[in-house]
Structures are given as C-alpha cells and as structure tokens.
Amino acid sequence: MKPKILLLHGSGTNASIFGLQSRKLAALLQPHFDLVYLDAPTPCPPGPGVLPFFEGCEPYLTWMDDSGAVPEQAYWEGEAFEKLVGEVRGLMALEEEEGGLVGVVGFSMGAKVGMEVVRRLEADDNIEEGGEKGKTGGGVKVVVAVCGTVPFRGGVASSTTAASEGDEAREKAYRASLDKGRVKAESVHLIGDGDPWRAEGEKLVEFFEDEGRRVIRFRGAHHMPADDAVNRQVVRVILAACKGV
C-alpha cells in the first residue's frame, strides 16, 4: 500500500463529485499515493457551478454552516468536526505496510477544514511531545488548498457572502482563529485569478508558516485547475514534501 492523501470537497458537492472535479490532479497523484475522499456530514443545496453538470448526483453536502460567526464556531467546537479529526487520526494510525496519511488536499470550504484538522493534530501532538518545536501533526507533510475560503470569512474588506451586520463578529472570530497559531506542515495554495472568493484564499495563506508555503496562481475561477502544467507543479511540490516517506 502507498502513503495516503486525503481529499476534502467543497460545499454543495460530495466525495464522488470531487473525484471527477479533481481527476487531473488525481491521475498524477495515483502512481505515488492512495487517495481517500471523505463526504461532509450535512445535506445542503448544490454549490456554485455544480448544476447542471452534476444534476442527479445527490446528496449535495457541506461541512458546516459558515453564514455567520456563531454557526461556524458551533462546527469547530462540535461533534462533526471531532468525528472528522478522529477519522483522520485513524488514517494516520494505520500499520506502516498499509500506508499512513501524509497529505491533505482541500477545495473551497474543504481547504479551511483541512487546514484546521492539521492545525489541531499539530497542537495535540505538541502537547503529547511536551511542546517539541517543529513537530507536525501525525506525519502530515503537506496541505494543498485550492480556491480556499478562510475561517469565519474574515480578514477581507468585503466578504462575498457576509452580511454587513455580521462583519464585526466574523472579523473578531477570524482574528481569534489566526491567533491559535500557524500550521507547520508545508502548504501549496492554488488561487484562481477570476475566483470570486480569491481574497479569502489569499488570507488562508496566512494560516501557514512562511517558510513552508507556496502560492501558485492560475487562470480560472472557483474550480480545480485544468492546466496540466499547474497540476504537475503541485505534484512536484507534494512529492518533494513527502520525500523519504
């Protein structure tokens, strides 16, 4: 068995749809890694660009309600997120011959979920190891954030979906989240130049350590990049981060 990479879909899709959306990247990763796609827990309407291409591919699922600071905080503190962290820990605890988890790829909302999972694992491991500097969560070497949104949709002048009356609460929660510390694992941030949520993707970069992060910009909107050269570049970074695994 090969090392594993976890793939987390965006809001309003599901693991099967994301398997098709990520097929170009997946084809390049599969010779080196086993790919694990997980479904989000909560049904919701289809996400941007899902219809009509994936009509009839229900259920459409989301990780959380991030329409405001209060419901998003409830997710981070709730049972669904704890269950996800437990599932990821299970992937990392597999026997060596079965291939443990070494990377996370998240799209849109799945990017901030992946970031928070790895940050949580790193924090837990630091406690277990007595605060060892540079310790990364359970062997996760790299996080790939594609067109990511940022915790609490904060840090930007005007969030795409934020109601004006909720901006202050979002910003306060965003700052508190950022203050929890940066992810130590290496990171790759794919940002589409025409993405309506581009400003949030730029802010998500700040949640990762400076020295281990890379930003790749591509021509496109809120979708997985189709350009072969971009996908090959991402895979090269992943392979370099996982060298020796």
Side-chain angles (χ1 to χ4, degrees):
M1 301 290 288
K2 293 169 284 193
K4 292 175 173 54
I5 289 184
L6 175 66
L7 292 99
L8 303 175
H9 64 79
S11 181
T13 64
N14 55 47
S16 296
I17 292 174
F18 193 42
L20 293 171
Q21 292 173 325
S22 62
R23 62 191 179 277
K24 286 204 168 186
L25 179 62
L28 296 171
L29 289 172
Q30 283 170 337
H32 311 281
F33 304 96
D34 287 328
L35 306 184
V36 180
Y37 292 82
L38 293 183
D39 274 323
T42 307
C44 70
V50 171
L51 300 180
F53 304 104
F54 297 107
E55 188 171 359
C57 295
E58 297 91 339
Y60 307 116
L61 303 168
T62 190
W63 300 99
M64 71 187 81
D65 175 0
D66 64 355
S67 62
V70 172
E72 180 165 342
Q73 189 65 47
Y75 171 75
W76 298 125
E77 296 177 350
E79 182 179 339
F81 182 65
E82 290 299 323
K83 181 179 178 182
L84 177 61
V85 172
E87 288 182 89
V88 175
R89 277 211 175 277
L91 290 171
M92 295 187 305
L94 294 173
E95 296 291 334
E96 183 176 349
E97 59 268 23
E98 295 183 40
L101 183 71
V102 296
V104 178
V105 176
F107 174 73
S108 191
M109 182 187 286
K112 69 176 174 180
V113 171
M115 178 281 296
E116 194 63 79
V117 167
V118 176
R119 182 165 64 171
R120 167 70 173 277
L121 296 172
E122 290 180 349
D124 288 350
D125 282 355
N126 276 339
I127 292 172
E128 293 171 9
E129 297 293 326
E132 178 185 344
K133 186 177 181 181
K135 177 77 173 178
T136 57
V140 176
K141 306 295 185 183
V142 61
V143 178
V144 180
V146 185
C147 296
T149 57
V150 74
F152 300 100
R153 318 302 291 271
V156 295
S158 179
S159 183
T160 304
T161 59
S164 58
E165 60 269 21
D167 283 348
E168 185 176 348
R170 285 180 183 275
E171 191 66 18
K172 182 177 180 181
Y174 160 78
R175 292 294 172 189
S177 180
L178 188 58
D179 287 345
K180 288 166 61 177
R182 292 179 173 179
V183 174
K184 299 179 182 67
E186 293 187 42
S187 63
V188 185
H189 303 265
L190 294 171
I191 298 176
D193 56 11
D195 185 358
W197 291 273
R198 177 178 176 176
E200 291 191 32
E202 302 278 4
K203 284 296 176 182
L204 187 62
V205 177
E206 298 178 9
F207 283 75
F208 295 82
E209 292 285 358
D210 297 0
E211 62 185 26
R213 68 195 189 196
R214 178 176 300 190
V215 176
I216 300 174
R217 306 185 190 280
F218 67 94
R219 291 184 178 181
H222 197 70
H223 54 74
M224 294 292 291
D227 185 87
D228 291 335
V230 170
N231 284 293
R232 286 195 296 268
Q233 186 178 359
V234 173
V235 173
R236 285 196 296 269
V237 174
I238 293 173
L239 291 173
C242 298
K243 186 177 181 180
V245 173

